[in-house]
Amino acid sequence: LNLSFGLAMLDGHGRAQCHLEALLFCVFDKDAGPIVQCADPEGAATAAFQRVGHYLIPDSAVKGRVVSVVCGDNVLMGTPVYIEDTSYSRNCFQFNICMVIDGSQHHEPYRDIAQLLAMSFQTLEVETKLLSNPREGTSIQAILAQLRQQLNDAEECFVCTDSSHAISFKVRRWTPALTKIEDESAVPVPLLDLQKLLDPERRSESPAGRDFQQALPFSLDPALAAVLPLIDGVRSVQTIANDSP
């Protein structure tokens, strides 16, 4: 089984960038609770990380969702996985493959990697019981080491875990094209009553407002909602940019 995916990551300058300080294999131990069972580098499982284990494997209501925890100068990010099966001692196996990221980086793009790692290792566990086998600690650590090295070196990975399973995905490199503003002194003039657009009650009273809202393929995001009140037919583009929150 070859799990192949693609994702996009950007740094603040539009360049693809991926740097994982460490990868941690966190598991819920029936006696000790949440622990870091192994990591790459091997010394990455510090006492500080061990203490936040209950945040990395939280209540089952959070399963499948990306969680992130600030720990000193780093951010720990991963997706908790819960596999229910009567073959386990507690009828459930809980784990999280966590990334350790420098806290100064923009870590939002790593959310995709967190989801991909969770899906890949969940498949491995369901089909091979690799993660729940106490004798496979060395194998898991080796897989984490290969994943981290390949992602940091080439922004892609292809790691064979056995003769029929591999973890494979690539960080696509692309640069967004930003529209150049020709004249910052230009004054945008609204063609609709933007105050009605922002006020649901007033918008529902206006047929034009209802038609415009229905034509939108998306809901207004917070950034756009903050800028719209500044477009009044008087402020220039430069003034709107300066006055934006």
Side-chain angles (χ1 to χ4, degrees), residues 192-194 196-199 203 208-221 224-225 228:
L192 294 171
D193 188 336
L194 297 182
K196 282 186 177 180
L197 181 64
L198 295 173
D199 187 339
R203 186 171 65 238
R210 287 196 301 269
D211 293 342
F212 182 77
Q213 182 66 13
Q214 291 174 356
L216 286 175
F218 50 83
S219 59
L220 297 176
D221 71 29
L224 181 58
L228 284 181

Side-chain angles (χ1 to χ4, degrees), residues 63-188:
K63 66 180 180 181
R65 302 182 182 182
V66 177
V67 297
S68 59
V69 179
V70 176
C71 186
D73 295 330
N74 298 303
V75 173
L76 279 65
M77 180 180 295
T79 302
V81 177
Y82 291 67
I83 303 175
E84 296 182 357
D85 195 303
T86 56
S87 63
Y88 300 119
S89 59
R90 300 174 61 251
N91 294 327
C92 181
F93 182 67
Q94 308 170 32
F95 72 92
N96 193 345
I97 305 297
C98 295
M99 299 172 290
V100 180
I101 308 161
D102 186 339
S104 63
Q105 291 193 60
H106 176 53
H107 59 265
E108 185 67 19
Y110 288 89
R111 296 174 66 88
D112 287 332
I113 293 184
Q115 292 280 12
L116 296 178
L117 290 173
M119 289 189 293
S120 300
F121 279 92
Q122 179 174 3
T123 299
L124 289 177
E125 173 59 23
V126 169
E127 299 190 1
T128 69
K129 294 293 188 290
L130 173 71
L131 303 182
S132 58
N133 188 338
R135 297 187 296 272
E136 294 291 352
T138 301
S139 299
I140 298 171
Q141 198 278 333
I143 293 171
L144 297 179
Q146 292 182 66
L147 285 171
R148 190 173 74 92
Q149 179 179 352
Q150 292 184 22
L151 288 172
N152 286 345
D153 290 348
E155 298 178 337
E156 61 182 350
C157 65
F158 187 90
V159 177
C160 294
T161 59
D162 57 30
S163 59
S164 57
H165 295 79
I167 299 173
S168 174
F169 56 83
K170 180 178 182 178
V171 180
R172 294 194 304 270
R173 184 183 293 274
W174 61 282
T175 303
L178 301 179
T179 303
K180 181 181 178 181
I181 300 177
E182 298 294 340
D183 184 4
E184 294 183 351
S185 64
V187 177

Side-chain angles (χ1 to χ4, degrees), residues 15-34:
R15 299 188 298 268
Q17 182 179 6
C18 178
H19 183 72
L20 304 179
E21 300 285 344
L23 280 175
L24 312 178
F25 171 45
C26 305
V27 64
F28 190 94
D29 183 84
K30 64 179 181 179
D31 298 318

